[in-house]
Structure formats: C-alpha cells, structure tokens
DNA sequence: GGCCGCCCACAACCTCCGGTTATGCAAAGC
DNA sequence: GCTTTGCATAACCGGAGGTTGTGGGCGGCC
C-alpha cells in the first residue's frame, strides 16, 4: 500500500470527484484516475462505484475512512517535524502563546525586545494549550507561554511569575475607595455576570468556586475566551472573573478590577523543549516577559 | 515522504544495520543503502551517522522514532483491514475468545458444531478483550466471546448467559455436605489463597471485595490468568476466586467449588460487528455455546 | 600479521510505477 | 442541440526502486 494511494483515496473522499482530487494533489486527472484503479485492483475490491459517470464511496471505503484520515494526519505531523528539524531555524525567536496573553504580554514583550535588539526576527502565533504542546514537540515553535500547567512530560516548563484571579466590572461599578480591597466571592451572588466556558484548568477552578455562590450569579452570556468577557464587561454587560492579564488588557479606564477573595493563584509558564537549551536571545526575551508581566500585575 | 522510506527507516532502527533491514524487507542491501541515502538527502539531515562502517542513529532519528512506529502500526492495521475486506472469508466461522474460555467453552462448542455440521470450517483464536475488539473491527475474526463488558460502541454485544463467581479449593478441603452452600467471603480470612492480578473488570471487582476481608487472606502466589490459579489450586496451593467457567475446567475431581456469598454475577458476552448480521452457521454456533455454557454452569 | 567475514557504498543496468498530453465518451445542464 | 463536466483510455516518458557485481574499511580469529 503506497502512501500516494492513501492520499489520493483521502482526497477523492473529501472532494467527491477524481478531477478535484487530482487538482488537490497537483497531478493530472488521468494520473489520479489510473492510480485509483490501480489501488482498487490491488486491494481486490472497489473503493467507489461509478454511477452515471460520478463516484460514490462503497461501504468498504467508508469503513477505511477513519483509519486513512488518522494516517494522513500522522504523516503530515511527521513531515512538519522533519521539515523543522531539517533547516535549523534562521529565526532565533519563535514564540506561541494562548490568545489571552497575545495582545498584552506577547505583543508588549516583543516590542521591548525589538527596542533592545532592533533587527531581531521573531515568529509569533497563538494557540490553545494542547495545540501548543504539539507545536513545540513538532518544532514549529520554540517557546510557549501559557497560564495552564500542562504537565507535559517531554517539555520543560518554567514559572515566570504568579498573579491572582481578578473580578472586573464596568467603570463606576464600585466606589473608588473599595477598589484596593479584594471582593468576597459571596458578593457575586445574584449579580449580572459573563459566564466563562473555557475548558482549561483555570476555567474549571472558577466554575467550581462560582457554583458555591448562592443565589447564583445571573449569567445571560457565556464566552469561551477571557478577552471576549473583558469586552462585554467594558460594554456594561455585567461582571466577570478573569485571569490578571486579561483584567489589565485594553484601556486603563475600560473596566474596574478587584482581586477575588478566595485567593486563586494564576501562574504564567514558559514552555520549551528540554533538549536544546535556550539561546541568549530567547533568554533575554523571557526576561522581558517576566519583567513586563510583573510590571503589569503591579500597576493599578 | 514515501512509505517505503518510513518502513526502511524503521527496519534499520530496529535491526541496527542496513543489511539486516534489507533482509527484513526482502530487498537487496544496495537497494536499502541507496534508499536510505535518498531519504536522508530528501530530508536534509542525516538519520544515521556512519561511524567506523557501522550505523548509529542521530538525535533527530530518535525524535522521529515514536511517530514512525505509530504510522507503521496504523498502516499495518489498515492493510489487515483491507485484506480481510478484499476476500470475503470463505471460512464461515471465525471465533476468538479470552484464554479463560478457550479450553472449555470454545473447544466444547466447536466439537459440538462439527458433530452437527461435519464439514464446517472454523478459525479459532484467543485474545484479551482489548485486542479482541481490535480484531473484530479489523475483520480478522467475526465473533468474540468474553466475560467482560467492553462497552465498545462500534460492536454489538449480546448476553449469552449469566453465572456467578466461584471459590475453588483443593479436593477434600470442605466437608462433602457443605459443597452445595455458598461460601461467605469472610470465611476466606487468613486462608491460603492464590492472588488474581487480572486487569479486567471482574479482576478489579474481586480485588475490591477481597480487600475488605480481615484478617486478609494469605497470598503467596499471584497469577494473571484464571487457569493458572485453577492449576495451582488443584495442586493444593490454596483457595482461589475465579469465574464459573474456569472453576469447571479440567477433571471433575481436580478441585472443589462453592459459590461466593456476596453473589457476584459473571456475564458471558458474544460480540460481533453490527453491519453484517450473523449467518445461520454463526447463529447455530452461538446457540451451542449458550447451551453448553448453561449445561456447564448447572452441573456439579 | 594475514586472512576472513561483515557491513556499507558505488557502478551499471533494468523494469515498471507514476506521471504527462491528447482524445473519446457518457451524462447533466442550459 | 450544444456545451460543460467528469471519468476512462491510449501512447509516451523519466526516474524511482529494484537488481547484480565489486571494492574498501573495520573487527575478530587463527
């Protein structure tokens, strides 16, 4: 079974026609046609029934579909890995982070770095934690910033700084003098709130704590990213409980913020592969991230 | 990336030499040598360093190893599946079961079937539950017999009959008149026993119940298959708690048996693919299995 | 030390797979 | 009815992937 046949089969399944599949694989239509026939009579059964000149997948083909897709995916991953291993990145700084951190921390640290080292090159991206681990092991990127403890055993994970969960509210929600004091979680009872449906560890912890508040907060809108919650709070939709970086994002006057009373810790991690130690530029960058993070958490 | 290269790379990694790998793949040594070079300069980095004429995997190669093996395995599985779909089995009855059931139930039912239909063909095998599901979906076999509820969503699972967990003991252990009565689990306290380290659901259930007995049974030997426990009990090593089929295996006088007092149910399942319904021979066979199982569970 | 065996690399050669272009043909669409 | 769309066939070509034959470095053994 040649990989080409597998790819072709997959392409035909997804596109629905030989011609389109051929286009997808950058080969001519007859080549695809012939290859498919070859695959079929090597297998000993038809993959597609030709009904009125069109293709229709046979039951056998459908049974193979899942496995085929898995193989395609795995081979694709392998090729990403080998490609990234082949050409030792001329780009010294490839960083990915969760969407939460992108606009504030990552953007800020990068501009600081480019002030310090004007001509440094960088590749930035955002990913959720699981995809981040995959990208790091596949060497698509070198450093990952996240608030989640992934516990990935093949990656090194270092703590950059610690903060705490914050409650944010529309401007003028709390009297000015209360702003420095923590907000007891009971004070959220029956308040209008933006729900958080984030699936990470922090999201689950928040969910667990909020479930204990009685009467429950009034949640009309739930969001999957902290930044959306921040935007909605800024528009006056209600309160939200978010990580300390999201709390500080945007204009200083866009929201009010107070620490949550049961002190919930949020940890900023940097992840990288353990094999090759960080080079000077990368170390410098992480220093800047740490400094910026600490500065952000201290302000206001 | 051609599949051939992946196979070759894997073969060289496992055998440690190009020559051996070539032999494994049934090609000549120069072919393997050339292909490996081709793969390397397509990848852009060396997979093996040639040190004093021998091969040594580079760090990059080791990083690829896991993924390569996964792909090899998946492709191998796909080929099994397609091979089994290609030639519609001329063998009407392909059955697999757990080792526990093989010698008694499967062997017995098969001989009964061959008495009823003398020239019927059959393929028998034994596998543990997880591998059994794999074999069924890959169409290596058509029917699986097991005592475990696998909960596999892509397979139909029907109940053939129900029995209960038994305690077995060396001959003469219990007075004759007690044999018909259940044995309270407390009676196992401080008794010499054969430990069961089976990882299936039944094994875990037994473990949980036995943990409550105090003082704990004296376990000198632990085994991973119920049949081994039976053999050791027959040799006088102590008591054991086993499924009702193992309890009846071998010579009628080899062990004594009594039901366990907390009535622990054991269910005999037959599994098959839902797509193609059972043919008459297969139905007949399952009938025989059910009858034989009920007869076995009734006797003694 | 010299011989042998093992293992890898290179050369010359061959076959056929996987690709091309050109063309035919059946069915659907306007 | 003509055009369009999509698959199949034919004729051709290059190169990947296989072969045999050979040479050279290294280790083990007498």
């Amino acid at each position: 079974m040649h990989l080409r046949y597998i790819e072709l089969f997959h392409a035909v399944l997804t596109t629905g026609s030989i011609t389109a599949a051929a286009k997808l694989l950058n080969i001519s239509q007859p080549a695809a046609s012939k290859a498919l026939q070859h695959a079929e009579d090597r297998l000993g059964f038809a993959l597609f029934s030709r009904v009125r000149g069109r293709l229709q997948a046979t039951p056998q083909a459908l049974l193979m579909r899942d496995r085929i897709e898995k193989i395609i995916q795995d081979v694709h991953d392998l090729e990403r890995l080998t490609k990234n291993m082949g050409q030792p990145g001329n780009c010294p700084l490839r960083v990915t982070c969760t969407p939460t951190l992108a606009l504030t921390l990552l953007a800020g640290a990068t501009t600081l770095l480019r002030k310090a080292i004007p001509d440094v090159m960088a590749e930035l991206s955002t990913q959720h934690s699981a995809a981040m681990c995959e990208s790091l092991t596949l060497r698509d990127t070198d450093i990952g910033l996240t608030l989640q403890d992934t516990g990935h055993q093949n990656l090194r994970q270092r703590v950059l700084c610690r903060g705490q969960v914050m409650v944010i509210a529309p401007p003028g929600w709390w009297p000015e003098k209360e702003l420095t004091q923590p907000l007891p979680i009971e004070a959220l009872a029956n308040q209008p709130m933006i729900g958080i449906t984030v699936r990470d560890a922090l999201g689950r912890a928040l969910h667990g704590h909020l479930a204990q508040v009685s009467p429950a907060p009034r949640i009309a809108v739930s969001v999957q990213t902290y930044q959306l919650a921040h935007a909605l709070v800024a528009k006056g939709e209600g309160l939200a409980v978010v990580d300390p970086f999201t709390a500080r994002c945007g204009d200083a006057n866009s929201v009010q913020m107070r620490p949550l009373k049961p002190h919930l810790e949020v940890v900023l991690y940097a992840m990288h592969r353990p094999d090759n130690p960080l080079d000077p530029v990368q170390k410098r960058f992480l220093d800047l991230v740490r400094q910026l993070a600490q500065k952000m958490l201290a302000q206001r």
Side-chain angles (χ1 to χ4, degrees), chain A residues 14-294:
Chain A
T14 52
T15 62
S17 92
I18 288 188
T19 309
K23 220 168 288 175
L24 199 65
L25 299 181
N26 274 323
I27 59 175
S28 67
Q29 171 267 319
S33 186
K34 200 168 59 165
L36 191 62
Q37 289 176 63
H38 192 189
E40 284 182 325
D41 62 52
R42 175 172 294 200
L43 287 174
F45 56 90
L47 290 170
F48 299 90
S49 54
R50 278 71 170 172
V51 48
R52 289 200 300 276
R54 305 298 166 110
L55 297 189
Q56 196 163 356
T58 61
Q60 288 95 326
L62 294 178
L63 279 171
M64 296 167 63
R65 181 171 201 156
D66 286 351
R67 292 174 188 280
I68 293 278
E69 284 176 353
K70 186 153 167 277
I71 292 173
I72 297 273
Q73 180 64 43
D74 287 346
V75 170
H76 182 229
D77 280 357
L78 179 67
E79 277 169 356
R80 270 168 69 193
L81 175 65
T82 55
K83 191 177 148 211
N84 291 329
M85 285 194 308
Q87 41 208 13
N90 53 2
C91 179
L93 188 63
R94 302 182 303 170
V95 187
T96 189
C97 73
T98 53
T100 308
L101 305 171
L103 299 183
T104 53
L105 199 59
L106 181 58
T110 305
T111 54
L112 286 178
L113 182 73
R114 285 186 55 81
K115 269 180 199 153
I117 316 174
D119 287 333
V120 72
M121 288 181 55
E123 282 179 19
L124 311 181
S125 59
T126 71
Q127 274 168 326
H128 294 284
S129 295
M132 182 180 292
C133 293
E134 192 70 0
S135 278
L136 284 166
T137 55
L138 288 177
R139 298 173 179 245
D140 271 343
T141 188
D142 300 313
I143 294 178
L145 301 175
T146 172
L147 297 179
Q148 190 167 11
D149 183 353
T150 61
H152 198 290
Q153 71 272 28
N154 290 331
L155 291 174
R156 279 208 49 176
Q157 185 172 278
R158 52 177 73 181
V159 175
L160 289 189
C161 79
R162 296 166 189 276
Q164 58 181 313
V165 167
M166 308 292 282
V167 185
I168 55 176
W173 190 272
W174 295 303
E176 200 64 39
K177 64 185 168 57
E178 288 182 8
L179 287 185
T180 54
Q181 297 164 16
L183 182 78
I185 194 168
E186 301 82 28
L188 294 176
N190 208 32
Q191 294 294 302
M193 280 196 73
I194 312 298
I196 297 287
T197 54
V198 185
R199 300 220 172 277
D200 62 11
L202 180 57
R204 282 192 294 273
L206 289 181
H207 193 80
H209 279 82
L210 284 176
Q212 319 232 341
V213 174
S214 169
R218 290 178 286 125
I219 296 182
V221 183
S222 286
V223 298
Q224 286 210 10
T225 62
Y226 294 113
Q227 291 172 307
L228 263 178
H230 183 277
L232 289 172
V233 169
K235 288 190 185 303
E237 286 286 331
L239 306 174
V241 180
V242 298
D243 69 273
F245 296 98
T246 301
R248 269 95 175 177
C249 85
D251 179 11
N253 300 320
S254 58
V255 299
Q256 289 184 309
M257 86 181 84
R258 292 169 66 181
L260 189 66
K261 178 61 179 298
H263 182 99
L264 289 181
E265 191 174 51
V266 173
V267 183
L268 173 64
Y269 296 101
M271 294 198 301
H272 64 96
R273 290 182 299 281
D275 48 0
N276 51 347
L278 300 178
D279 67 30
V281 174
Q282 295 172 337
K283 275 187 182 149
R284 180 73 177 275
F285 175 77
L286 285 189
D287 273 344
L288 288 174
V289 171
R290 181 188 293 113
Q291 287 168 25
L292 179 58
Q294 285 169 348

